[in-house]
Amino acid sequence: MSNNNTRENFGSKIGAILAAAGSAVGLGNIWRFPIETGQNGGAAFILIYIGCVILLGIPIMMSEFLIGRHTQANTAGAYRKLAPGTPWRWVGRLGVLSGFVILSYYSVVAGWTAEYTILAIGNAFEGKTTADFPAIFTEFVSNPWKSVFWMLAFMIITHVIVTRGVKSGIEKFSKLMMPVLFVILIILAICSVALPGASQGLEFLLKPDFSKITGSAILSAMGQAFFSLSLGLGCLCTYASYFNQETNIGKTALSVSLIDTFVAIMSGFIIFPAVFNAGYTLDSSDIGPSLLFITMPNVFGQAFGSIPALAYIVSVLFYFLLVLAALTSTISMHEVVTAYVSEEFAMSRRKAATLVTLSCSIVGVVCALSFGPFEGVKIFGMTIFDFFDYTASNFMLPIGGMLIAIFTGWYLDKKIVRDEITNNGTLRAPYLPLIIFILKYIAPIAIACILLGQIGIF
Ligand code: TRP
């Protein structure tokens, strides 16, 4: 760990917040959140989701931040420094492994968003009917070369930005792209809410029906909260290792969680009114991983079809929004693994990033092919892609999050916690005892109950 003195920092507070928000805001918000909400009953699911964000998300995010900033190390190095010679270093390693797995399958969907942006720019959706879109999508994902090509393209762009470093790569890109993302998001939400028939979609988002909530919906809400907030694998811990000493950890965690939840709910406002307007129902296969790629292009055509120019602009903006959101997230996952490889194996950043890009690309190819040639390969009845997504977000992340909570709540010296949260006593943090109480008792017990409940032990 001799490279501590050469470690980079984010240049500004807003840069740090936007980079962390860039990590959090991603396909999880715009692709996964509407699917999960659609499949788990709408407004009631959203309320449980928000509960998970407040009760588990914010305290665990603060833990990741303080561990990262205190140690100024990659996530595995952080536990090694704070708890030398103990098995706690496996929490960091589990995180690096989860980052690797998620980046591999995430890049596949990210690749689809790039292909669809190009299709939208080329006006490929005009004049197509409801029946054409599933065929376009199936043809695309099952064509091994196209999916693999776009997955690799995405991986390479991520690689280039990560190689440029923390300040001139990650921070610069996030500061430029996050505002663009917000503007696009608001424009799209306004267009969608103004559609005739939007009220049905709004009702679905705003009127809770708790009879739809099952144990598996609660597990999904928790998994979604971890996934969307980038928690449980040391991603934000790694980013926090680039925070400077002035960064207010509590405020940053609150801002990132608010931004992330806002984007998720806005995505709901974009997608559901448009979906209902186009006459889809939610109990069908319209709401699944292909939602954004089969349902949405058709929705744009139908909803804005009377003004073709508007339909065109809306679809280009929508897919471009997805590309931006995905990219700031792939960068953050790549960074977790790159920082680990570079610091723990004393390698240059460039070399480490290359190794990460190559190995993730190989696993990514397997995930991409699980929609085509490898479709028949099933693990516990799921395709390779689904298996990775299900295990990573519903198990690896919550288990990682639970261990992080236990580490901060029970193991870590409370002086370190207090000093980091209050910036060595210069900030007031009256909420600190509450956060510690949550980390000690509530988060571990809640996560354990939800996980055990799902495995069938309760
Ligand atoms: N949060 C991102 C999204 O919503 C994905 C992501 C980035 C992530 N880094 C992560 C998920 C770390 C879990 C852990 O799309």
Side-chain angles (χ1 to χ4, degrees), residues 23-29 102 106 226-233 235 260 325 329-330 332-333 397:
S23 166
V25 171
L27 297 176
N29 305 59
I102 299 182
Y106 196 93
F226 277 99
F227 189 93
S228 188
L229 294 171
S230 297
L231 288 181
L233 64 71
C235 196
D260 189 70
S329 298
T330 51
S332 73
M333 286 181 266
L397 297 181

Side-chain angles (χ1 to χ4, degrees), residues 125-303:
F125 306 136
E126 204 193 355
K128 298 279 188 304
T129 63
T130 311
D132 297 325
F133 290 103
I136 296 177
F137 182 72
T138 317
E139 207 268 328
F140 166 58
V141 292
S142 58
N143 176 341
W145 294 115
K146 265 195 189 163
S147 312
V148 168
F149 170 82
W150 284 109
M151 187 274 296
L152 291 176
F154 220 92
M155 204 70 101
I156 290 169
I157 303 173
T158 306
H159 173 88
V160 170
I161 298 170
V162 170
T163 318
R164 292 183 58 131
V166 174
K167 207 184 273 173
S168 43
I170 300 174
E171 181 175 0
K172 202 166 157 198
F173 186 78
S174 311
K175 261 168 113 171
L176 206 66
M177 292 309 163
M178 291 306 286
V180 179
L181 184 146
F182 292 130
V183 172
I184 299 181
L185 194 73
I186 308 262
I187 297 178
L188 290 175
I190 294 174
C191 289
S192 199
V193 171
L195 288 172
S199 58
Q200 209 186 338
L202 295 178
E203 191 173 305
F204 180 73
L205 282 170
L206 299 174
K207 212 166 142 198
D209 172 3
F210 284 99
S211 66
K212 293 196 182 132
I213 294 302
T214 58
S216 92
I218 297 176
L219 178 76
S220 298
M222 176 174 77
Q224 174 60 22
F226 277 99
F227 189 93
S228 188
L229 294 171
S230 297
L231 288 181
L233 64 71
C235 196
L236 296 180
C237 173
T238 306
Y239 268 23
S241 72
Y242 310 123
F243 284 0
N244 60 32
Q245 295 311 316
E246 277 82 61
T247 305
N248 180 335
I249 286 180
K251 220 164 141 187
T252 308
L254 189 65
S255 316
V256 172
S257 307
L258 280 175
I259 293 175
D260 189 70
T261 307
F262 173 76
V263 174
I265 292 178
M266 290 304 270
S267 308
F269 280 112
I270 295 174
I271 289 173
F272 289 108
V275 164
F276 281 106
N277 171 278
Y280 285 105
T281 54
L282 289 176
D283 41 13
S284 63
S285 58
D286 302 335
I287 305 296
S290 57
L291 169 74
L292 297 183
F293 305 97
I294 294 179
T295 316
M296 289 315 278
N298 187 34
V299 160
F300 294 140
Q302 288 191 32

